[in-house]
Amino acid sequence: MQPPDRSDPLTMAFPAELAGDAEAVVSVMPASRLLPAAPFSVVVEGHQVLIPERLYNDEPPADAVTSLSSRQRQLLHCLYSRHCDGVVRQRHLEKIVGSTDPWVVPFVVQLVGEYVLEIMIVICDELRDLAAPGIGGHLAYGQFIVDNPAYFARTQRRVVSYWSCYYRGTYASFQGYPGRTLLDLLRSAASDRAGHSWPNLAPVASRVDGYC
C-alpha cells in the first residue's frame, strides 16, 4: 500500500496520522484558481502543522461531502473555516466548534483572533464553560496554548487590535467585548494546564490606542 500523499499543502494542516483522511478530503474539494494564503505554524500533540491563513476553493457538492466519513467531514469543516468568505467560515465553524479533538482546536483559536464579530459570538457561546476543570475542552484548549505560547500571545494582541479598530462603537469598553470573554476563558484553561497564571496581554485602557 502506498503511503498517503502529503504533497498537497492542505494535508499539512493536520497531524500525519490523519494524512489519509486529509487526502480524501482534498480529493473532493474543487480546484482553486488561487493558492492558499501562506500558512501559520502551530504544534498539535507535539507535531507541527501548517494551517492556511485563507483558502479559495469553492465548497464541494453535497453528494461529495456525504461520501466522506465522519472524521473526514470534520477535517473538511476545519479547512473551510479558513475560507476567504466569512459566511462560509462561520457555517463550517458551527460544525466543529463543539469538538474537543486537538487538531480542531487551532482552527477555532485562529478565528478568535480574527475580525468577524458574529463568528466570535458563536465561539463564545460554545466555549462559555471552558474555564470549568473537567470539561473536555478545558484540557484540549489549555494544552494547545501551553504548546503554542507565542502564537497565543499574538492572538491576544489581535483581539485587542480588532476591537480597537472596528468595534469601539459597539463596545465602548474592552471589558464588554466578546473577544475579551474568550481570552479570559482560554487563559483560565492554559493557567490550569501550565500550573501558573497565564500572561494577560490585554493592555490597560490608557495603552489601547496604537494597537491597530
Side-chain angles (χ1 to χ4, degrees), residues 2-210:
Q2 292 295 318
D5 180 9
R6 296 280 278 182
S7 61
D8 191 297
L10 293 181
T11 67
M12 304 297 290
F14 306 101
E17 68 199 65
L18 299 176
D21 288 321
E23 185 63 25
V25 170
V26 170
S27 73
V28 304
M29 294 171 61
S32 174
R33 289 176 295 176
L34 297 173
L35 293 173
F40 60 92
S41 173
V42 290
V43 174
V44 174
E45 294 194 309
H47 301 284
Q48 183 188 49
V49 299
L50 299 172
I51 297 175
E53 284 283 355
R54 288 285 182 263
L55 60 82
Y56 304 93
N57 308 65
D58 290 338
E59 294 173 279
D63 59 342
V65 176
T66 57
S67 72
L68 300 173
S69 70
S70 59
R71 175 55 48 77
Q72 290 163 0
R73 288 194 296 271
Q74 181 195 57
L75 303 191
L76 181 141
H77 295 312
C78 286
L79 288 175
Y80 278 93
S81 75
R82 306 306 313 135
H83 197 267
C84 59
D85 185 323
V87 174
V88 175
R89 291 200 299 277
Q90 181 172 341
R91 181 164 60 246
H92 289 276
L93 164 72
E94 289 171 350
K95 302 291 188 179
I96 58 171
V97 67
S99 172
T100 59
D101 288 327
W103 49 85
V104 173
V105 170
F107 290 89
V108 177
V109 175
Q110 179 69 10
L111 289 167
V112 172
E114 295 184 0
Y115 52 85
V116 179
L117 181 62
E118 291 82 0
I119 288 177
M120 194 171 294
I121 290 171
V122 169
I123 299 171
C124 200
D125 287 345
E126 183 63 39
L127 300 187
R128 59 187 177 275
D129 296 327
L130 188 66
I135 298 297
H138 185 84
L139 175 60
Y141 281 88
Q143 187 64 56
F144 175 73
I145 294 168
V146 168
D147 289 342
N148 297 276
Y151 169 81
F152 185 61
R154 185 169 65 250
T155 298
Q156 292 194 68
R157 295 186 180 101
R158 282 181 169 182
V159 170
V160 178
S161 292
Y162 285 127
W163 164 74
S164 182
C165 287
Y166 301 125
Y167 295 115
R168 280 191 176 193
T170 305
Y171 300 95
S173 169
F174 184 66
Q175 301 306 303
Y177 181 53
R180 182 259 186 178
T181 301
L182 278 169
L183 290 182
D184 286 349
L185 291 168
L186 292 168
R187 281 193 300 267
S188 175
S191 296
D192 279 0
R193 190 62 181 157
H196 58 78
S197 181
W198 202 262
N200 181 352
L201 302 185
V204 297
S206 62
R207 294 177 51 214
V208 169
D209 289 330

